[in-house]
């Protein structure tokens, strides 16, 4: 995010950016049609995944726990603010609700105006 | 303390301010909505299968492929990062060759080059990723991350020549766009292409799509058009080209969008040197009509319609349909004339012979002799290049 960064303030600005992005993700996520199953991982998804993604790309996947964990770790490496201690819990939640055994509904269509 | 409404207001203001300050998608199935019911009110937009809302990954319903050219407002969208808004007036392209000074072009400069037009298929490398088992992470595309359009623009070779680039120049062309990740820690999207493909007369810096200004969601004002090659090389919102000795060291070239050159079993660890960048599209065919799950009458013949395309400089030679799980095949009729890089439409008159659930198959044969297999495509870690015969589930009613 080169354009947002004042000279010599990368660290603080990056932190500010992440906190603002958290607000952004929560704000946008609340305005998006979606349902997340209740559980200890629900807020982890909302706080750590929805910064960059909307619900569809997460809820449309059916992955094993190992694969979910690898995805979580990949995203952490790319800047998701998830704490080290929360990664296993997030993988638990995702694999509990979005595993290869979880039925996948026919995708909804939606009108999109360019 | 702030209440929820105030929190939302503050959040939106802060978020919009941030974005402004930075300038800146069991098996997937198709809906059963009949063709005639999907666009009665075009001012409200057109129906997509939303694979990801933010950033946008939008899949085209297959019945749209009854049209030879896929309309701009119905063409699939793949995004790596949020859509940047770049006007024609603001657009600049910087070209750097080796360690020399760069040159900069604006939109009028680009329009001044002799225009060229190519009708070509654009397909996401991960189209039909959702069919792989076990499932692979990524956008779970069904059949519709593909489309066929008329692209008009300047030949990339002409533009590169303005910067002094020719056959003896460094062999890696690194192209990137105005789209930026939300966080500086997320890799930017850039790709390396071989110089030879960039100097091919059909490779374009396109500013028109189906004779209209290139829509922003499709990479307007200017995107790369690489006919016959997979979509990840069709960089959107192109703003930077570097011609250099080494390929891009970025994630999306060194790790992303790679396909194994060895047989891989699910769970296998693939040696990095066996993961190669994808280039040519694979040969495919799709049923466009009737829709998946359609109920058809035993007493009436059915006119099946579809499309088929291939990659590189190859051509589609034959389309066949099977109603007995691939034991026997009958040839379909092509519609229209063949154009290089474009898809071919086809039709087939089928007569149901018994009631009940049935799966039809279609397969293409290309000019290299490749015939689409009935079996699932080879599993690969990225879920790329699905190339199996298409399947159409029908319910025949007496």
């Amino acid at each position: 995010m080169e354009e947002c960064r004042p000279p010599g303030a990368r660290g603080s600005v990056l932190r500010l950016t992440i906190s603002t992005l958290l607000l952004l993700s929560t704000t946008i996520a609340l305005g998006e049609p979606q349902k997340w199953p209740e559980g200890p991982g629900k807020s982890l998804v909302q706080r750590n995944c929805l910064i960059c993604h909307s619900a569809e790309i997460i809820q449309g996947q059916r992955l094993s726990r190992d694969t979910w964990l690898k995805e979580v770790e990949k995203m952490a490496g790319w800047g998701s603010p998830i704490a080290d201690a929360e990664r296993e819990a997030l993988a638990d939640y995702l694999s509990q609700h979005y595993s290869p055994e979880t039925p996948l509904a026919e995708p909804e269509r939606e009108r999109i105006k360019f | 303390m702030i209440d929820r409404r105030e929190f939302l207001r503050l959040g939106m203001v802060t978020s919009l301010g941030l974005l402004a300050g930075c300038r800146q998608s069991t098996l997937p199935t198709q809906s059963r909505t009949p063709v005639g019911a999907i666009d009665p009110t075009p001012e409200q937009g057109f129906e997509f299968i939303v694979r990801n809302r933010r950033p946008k990954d939008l899949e085209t319903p297959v019945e749209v492929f009854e049209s030879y050219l896929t309309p701009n407002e119905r063409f699939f969208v793949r995004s790596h990062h949020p859509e940047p808004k770049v006007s024609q007036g603001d657009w600049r392209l910087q070209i750097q060759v080796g360690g020399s000074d760069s040159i900069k072009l604006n939109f009028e400069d680009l329009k001044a080059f002799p225009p060229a037009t190519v009708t070509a298929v654009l397909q996401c490398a991960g189209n039909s990723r959702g069919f792989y088992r076990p499932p692979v992470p990524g956008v779970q595309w069904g059949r519709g991350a593909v489309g066929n359009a008329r692209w008009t623009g300047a030949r990339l070779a002409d533009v590169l020549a303005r910067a002094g680039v020719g056959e003896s120049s460094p062999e890696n062309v690194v192209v990137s766009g105005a789209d930026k990740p939300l966080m500086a820690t997320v890799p930017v999207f850039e790709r390396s292409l071989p110089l030879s493909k960039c100097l091919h007369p059909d490779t374009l810096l396109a500013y028109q799509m189906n004779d209209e200004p290139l829509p922003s969601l499709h990479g307007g004002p200017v995107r790369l058009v690489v006919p016959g090659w997979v979509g990840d090389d069709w960089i959107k919102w192109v703003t930077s080209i570097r011609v250099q000795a080494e390929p891009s060291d970025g994630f999306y070239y060194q790790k992303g969008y790679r396909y194994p050159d060895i047989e891989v079993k699910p769970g296998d660890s693939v040696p990095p040197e066996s993961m190669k960048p994808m280039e040519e599209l694979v040969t495919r065919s799709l049923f466009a009509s009737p829709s998946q799950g359609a109920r058809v009458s035993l007493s009436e013949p059915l006119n099946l319609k579809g499309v088929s395309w291939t990659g590189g400089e190859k051509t589609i030679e034959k389309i066949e349909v099977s109603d007995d799980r691939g034991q026997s095949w009958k040839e379909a009729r092509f519609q229209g004339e063949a154009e290089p890089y474009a898809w071919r439409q086809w039709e087939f008159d089928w007569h149901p012979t018994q009631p009940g659930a049935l799966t039809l198959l279609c397969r293409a044969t290309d000019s290299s002799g490749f015939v689409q297999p009935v079996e699932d495509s080879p599993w690969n870690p990225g879920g790329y290049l699905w190339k199996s015969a298409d399947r159409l589930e029908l319910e025949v009613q007496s």
Side-chain angles (χ1 to χ4, degrees):
Chain A
M1 204 164 292
E2 204 70 39
E3 299 87 341
C4 297
R5 188 187 308 149
R10 176 176 179 147
S12 60
V13 170
L14 190 59
R15 283 193 294 276
L16 176 65
T17 299
I18 288 175
S19 65
T20 311
L21 284 169
L22 278 167
L23 193 60
L24 168 70
S25 73
T26 309
T27 304
I28 291 178
L30 286 169
E32 291 175 348
Q34 55 174 283
K35 283 183 179 174
W36 290 98
E38 294 301 326
K42 177 178 174 180
S43 66
L44 293 176
V45 172
Q46 292 177 326
R47 285 190 283 113
N48 299 291
C49 308
L50 301 183
I51 296 171
C52 294
H53 307 289
S54 64
E56 294 83 7
I57 196 169
I58 300 166
Q59 297 181 348
Q61 301 198 55
R62 296 291 182 268
L63 306 175
S64 67
R65 189 184 182 284
D66 280 354
T67 308
W68 273 123
L69 184 59
K70 283 178 186 165
E71 287 298 295
V72 168
E73 287 171 345
K74 174 181 167 187
M75 297 306 164
W78 283 3
S80 170
I82 189 166
D84 291 356
E86 295 174 326
R87 296 179 190 178
E88 298 279 345
L90 180 53
D92 284 344
Y93 176 82
L94 292 168
S95 58
Q96 178 185 349
H97 298 290
Y98 309 107
S99 79
E101 289 74 39
T102 310
L104 186 58
E106 187 168 295
E108 296 282 335
R109 291 184 181 193
E110 188 175 321
R111 285 181 180 276
I112 302 289
K113 191 170 169 53
F114 273 39
Chain B
M1 288 288 285
I2 57 174
D3 62 22
R4 181 175 177 271
R5 183 174 297 171
E6 182 67 1
F7 172 78
L8 288 171
R9 188 187 69 79
L10 284 172
M12 191 58 80
V13 168
T14 310
S15 306
L16 292 173
L18 175 74
L19 289 174
C22 293
R23 261 195 321 119
Q24 306 277 7
S25 178
T26 57
L27 292 175
T29 54
Q30 302 292 339
S31 165
R32 298 174 188 182
T33 309
V35 176
I38 58 175
D39 59 346
T41 50
E43 68 277 6
Q44 293 174 14
F46 291 92
E47 285 192 335
F48 284 91
I49 300 162
V50 178
R51 299 290 179 192
N52 194 26
R53 191 176 306 273
R54 179 172 49 80
K56 287 187 175 65
D57 290 314
L58 309 175
E59 180 174 330
T60 303
V62 291
E63 70 266 18
V64 174
F65 304 150
E66 284 193 58
S67 167
Y68 178 64
L69 294 176
T70 312
N72 295 352
E73 64 275 14
R74 311 192 70 172
F75 208 100
F76 87 95
V77 173
R78 167 76 175 117
S79 307
H80 295 86
H81 304 306
E83 172 195 3
K85 294 290 187 185
V86 185
S87 69
Q88 292 180 353
D90 289 340
W91 181 81
R92 298 289 184 277
L93 172 62
Q94 181 167 301
I95 305 175
Q96 182 149 28
V97 185
S100 64
D101 291 342
S102 59
I103 71 161
K104 233 174 202 181
L105 300 176
N106 62 29
F107 193 75
E108 291 307 312
D109 295 331
L110 188 71
K111 289 283 293 282
F113 287 95
T117 296
V118 175
T119 301
V121 168
L122 166 57
Q123 181 182 219
C124 178
N127 193 20
S128 301
R129 175 182 291 117
F131 295 165
Y132 280 103
R133 293 292 177 271
V136 175
V139 183
Q140 299 297 294
W141 298 113
R143 297 170 169 88
V146 63
N148 186 52
R150 254 171 72 89
W151 311 93
T152 300
R155 289 187 177 89
L156 180 57
D158 292 347
V159 177
L160 290 174
R162 178 73 56 87
V165 176
E167 289 177 358
S168 60
S169 295
E171 64 185 25
N172 294 287
V173 181
V174 181
V175 186
S176 59
D179 50 334
K180 300 290 180 237
L182 281 171
M183 289 186 276
T185 43
V186 178
V188 297
F189 186 69
E190 70 172 25
R191 296 280 304 166
S192 280
L193 288 92
L195 180 66
S196 57
K197 188 64 178 177
C198 294
L199 297 180
H200 192 290
D202 294 328
T203 301
L204 307 179
L205 281 168
Y207 44 77
Q208 284 185 1
M209 180 178 183
N210 293 327
D211 304 320
E212 296 173 358
L214 182 65
S216 177
L217 267 179
H218 295 311
V222 180
R223 81 175 304 164
L224 200 59
V225 166
V226 195
W229 281 31
V230 290
D232 48 287
D233 287 327
W234 296 47
I235 302 287
K236 296 158 78 168
W237 311 290
V238 173
T239 53
S240 167
I241 298 177
R242 307 190 314 269
V243 184
Q244 56 190 45
E246 298 297 322
S248 165
D249 60 2
F251 171 86
Y252 286 104
Y253 184 74
Q254 291 296 334
K255 292 189 175 173
Y257 291 110
R258 291 207 169 211
Y259 190 89
D261 65 358
I262 57 173
E263 186 179 336
V264 174
K265 292 189 182 69
D268 280 357
S269 172
V270 187
E273 64 273 18
S274 294
M275 295 295 286
K276 308 291 188 190
M278 293 173 284
E279 294 185 343
E280 295 185 358
L281 288 167
V282 290
T283 297
R284 289 196 65 175
S285 54
L286 289 178
F287 288 102
S289 173
S291 55
Q292 290 284 341
R295 292 173 182 168
V296 302
S297 171
L298 178 63
S299 59
E300 293 178 15
L302 191 64
N303 181 238
L304 307 171
K305 292 182 176 175
V307 292
S308 182
W309 64 95
T310 183
E313 310 283 326
K314 298 191 294 294
T315 54
I316 294 294
E317 299 294 308
K318 187 167 62 174
I319 302 294
E320 297 167 295
V321 172
S322 172
D323 63 4
D324 58 6
R325 299 183 177 274
Q327 293 177 54
S328 66
W329 297 85
K330 290 178 181 166
E331 198 164 336
R333 297 186 302 276
F334 285 123
Q335 294 178 297
E337 299 300 315
E339 288 190 277
Y341 313 118
W343 64 24
R344 292 208 76 177
Q345 293 183 287
W346 52 267
E347 62 182 350
F348 184 87
D349 294 323
W350 179 64
H351 301 263
T353 55
Q354 57 185 22
L358 185 95
T359 301
L360 296 178
L361 301 171
C362 67
R363 70 178 184 188
T365 301
D366 69 30
S367 53
S368 75
F370 170 81
V371 184
Q372 287 187 270
V374 172
E375 300 77 23
D376 284 356
S377 297
W379 189 93
N380 63 98
Y384 296 127
L385 304 184
W386 182 267
K387 57 185 177 186
S388 304
D390 196 24
R391 302 168 191 176
L392 176 61
E393 315 282 342
L394 294 177
E395 181 71 30
V396 181
Q397 298 184 317
S398 53

